[in-house]
Amino acid sequence: MKLLFVKSDLIGSRLIRWGLEEDCSHFAFAFEEIGIVFESTLLGGAKVVPMARFMATHQIVHILEFR
C-alpha cells in the first residue's frame, strides 16, 4: 500500500494549493497489487478509481510506502 499526496490541473486542486500555500491538494491510498486507488474528494468522503485512470489525471507529489 502506498500513501499518495497528489495534485492535478483541475481548478479545485489549483485553488486548494493556492489557498493553503501547499504543493499538493489531496490524498489517496494506492493498492498497486489490485490496481485501485481510494481518493479523497472535495465534498468529503472518498471514491474508488482504477489506478490507471487516477495516474492519467494526477501528479504524485509525495509517496509513503507501507509493506
Side-chain angles (χ1 to χ4, degrees):
M1 173 178 66
K2 291 183 180 180
L3 307 180
L4 308 176
F5 298 86
V6 299
K7 65 180 182 178
S8 74
D9 288 331
L10 296 173
I11 189 69
S13 177
R14 290 180 184 188
L15 287 172
I16 290 168
R17 287 182 282 139
W18 173 77
L20 297 176
E21 298 179 357
E22 292 292 339
D23 58 354
C24 55
S25 60
H26 61 290
F27 176 78
F29 291 97
F31 295 92
E32 290 181 311
E33 55 279 350
I34 56 177
I36 62 169
V37 174
F38 288 85
E39 173 187 13
S40 63
T41 64
L42 185 60
L43 299 175
K47 65 180 178 180
V48 179
V49 295
M51 183 170 279
R53 183 168 40 142
F54 180 83
M55 296 306 291
T57 58
H58 293 80
Q59 298 170 355
I60 298 171
V61 180
H62 307 284
I63 299 176
L64 296 173
E65 187 170 352
F66 291 89
R67 296 178 188 205

